[in-house]
Amino acid sequence: MNLTLKIWRQKNANDKGKMVDYKINDVSPDMSFLEMLDVLNSGLILKGEEPVAFDHDCREGICGSCSLYINGEAHGPDRGVTTCQLHMRKFKDGDTIYIEPFRATAFPVIKDLIVDRSAFDRIQNAGGFISVNTSGNTIDANTIPINKHDADDAFSAATCIGCGACVASCKNSSAMLFVGAKVSQYALLPQGRVEAVDRVKNMVAQMDLEGFGNCTNTGACEVECPKGISLENIARMNREYLFANIKD
């Protein structure tokens, strides 16, 4: 395939940035999207030009690093996949592909297609954990009976990889699907109930402090989420938050 790429180029966080056109030829439909960008960068380097900076790590849909906004969709036109799992067979010969970083006030651009998603880390640090006594008094988690439906829902919430597609897809740049998933994976288990009140209050407070918008139930986040995280997690977080404030 021969393609035209329109890629966002930005030297640093303070640069204005702009879309730059690139032609790339002989793209195999079996290439992943990131492999196609690797080929582009190899050509740019050979010509003495600056390669396009983009984030990636595992290239297996696990780490959530490879977050790109492709033709107006987080992670591109496929569903249930991250950018690294997107293959060029989803495009046609002669296509023009627009490639941008995720856009959100809380996700400032570092360079080209790389954004700073450390806001998610700070939200997680605010309460997305369980405090465990490791002094020798720990109890085997398998000895605590847990309802099968609760266990399944907790595991589903825990599949969130923190890629930020929910934020990039939301017209309000809301992070409530991410926070809802992180709250839910603990709220559904007995080990997480001990710190449930402080957890949801602290994580929501940090989310607001980071500058994410509010949820208006559009549902774009669930559609674009590569792991299919359900909106039910937002509803659960809202219930947890209400209960926490009533309990106070």
Side-chain angles (χ1 to χ4, degrees):
M1 294 186 293
N2 299 328
L3 304 168
T4 299
L5 307 178
K6 292 182 177 290
I7 302 178
W8 181 260
R9 301 304 308 264
Q10 185 172 334
K11 293 180 180 179
N12 52 54
N14 298 318
D15 185 40
K16 186 176 181 180
K18 63 180 180 179
M19 299 296 286
V20 178
D21 292 2
Y22 297 97
K23 298 288 186 180
I24 184 168
N25 300 321
D26 300 323
V27 175
S28 168
D30 296 323
M31 283 182 180
S32 73
F33 198 86
L34 296 191
E35 286 172 338
M36 180 273 295
L37 289 179
D38 288 338
V39 171
L40 172 70
N41 278 342
S42 294
L44 292 176
I45 292 170
L46 287 174
K47 291 188 289 186
E49 298 180 26
E50 182 78 13
V52 177
F54 62 93
D55 224 345
H56 63 94
D57 190 3
C58 74
R59 299 203 179 198
E60 294 180 344
I62 298 171
C63 70
S65 297
C66 60
S67 301
L68 301 180
Y69 209 64
I70 303 165
N71 284 352
E73 296 181 89
H75 295 301
D78 208 350
R79 289 291 174 267
V81 300
T82 55
T83 301
C84 65
Q85 296 172 301
L86 176 67
H87 283 81
M88 297 311 296
R89 65 180 69 98
K90 284 290 179 179
F91 303 93
K92 300 187 298 294
D93 182 44
D95 274 357
T96 297
I97 304 175
Y98 290 80
I99 310 170
E100 302 173 75
F102 280 0
R103 304 288 190 182
T105 301
F107 288 167
V109 175
I110 297 173
K111 182 178 181 180
D112 293 342
L113 303 175
I114 301 176
V115 299
D116 180 0
R117 284 172 293 174
S118 59
F120 273 9
D121 296 331
R122 291 188 287 273
I123 293 172
Q124 189 79 359
N125 290 339
F129 53 84
I130 292 175
S131 299
V132 178
N133 182 351
T134 57
S135 62
N137 299 319
T138 52
I139 300 173
D140 186 349
N142 292 326
T143 65
I144 304 173
I146 298 173
N147 180 281
K148 180 64 164 58
H149 295 296
D150 290 342
D152 288 345
D153 288 345
F155 271 114
S156 293
T159 61
C160 170
I161 56 176
C163 67
C166 51
V167 176
S169 303
C170 178
K171 62 183 180 181
N172 306 317
S173 297
S174 172
M176 289 187 72
L177 191 67
F178 167 77
V179 180
K182 297 306 177 183
V183 167
S184 291
Q185 72 180 73
Y186 298 115
L188 288 160
L189 302 176
Q191 295 93 334
R193 295 311 309 169
V194 179
E195 298 167 297
V197 169
D198 289 338
R199 177 180 301 110
V200 69
K201 291 178 70 175
N202 291 341
M203 292 184 78
V204 169
Q206 188 64 41
M207 174 183 71
D208 291 340
L209 186 63
E210 297 293 343
F212 292 104
N214 291 321
C215 173
T216 50
N217 295 309
T218 303
C221 55
E222 181 179 358
V223 173
E224 300 290 356
C225 175
K227 299 303 177 182
I229 303 297
S230 171
L231 287 175
E232 291 178 3
N233 291 292
I234 296 179
R236 185 178 295 107
M237 180 186 69
N238 287 335
R239 290 195 299 272
E240 289 286 322
Y241 189 74
L242 178 62
F243 175 78
N245 282 280
I246 291 174
K247 191 172 182 179
D248 261 8

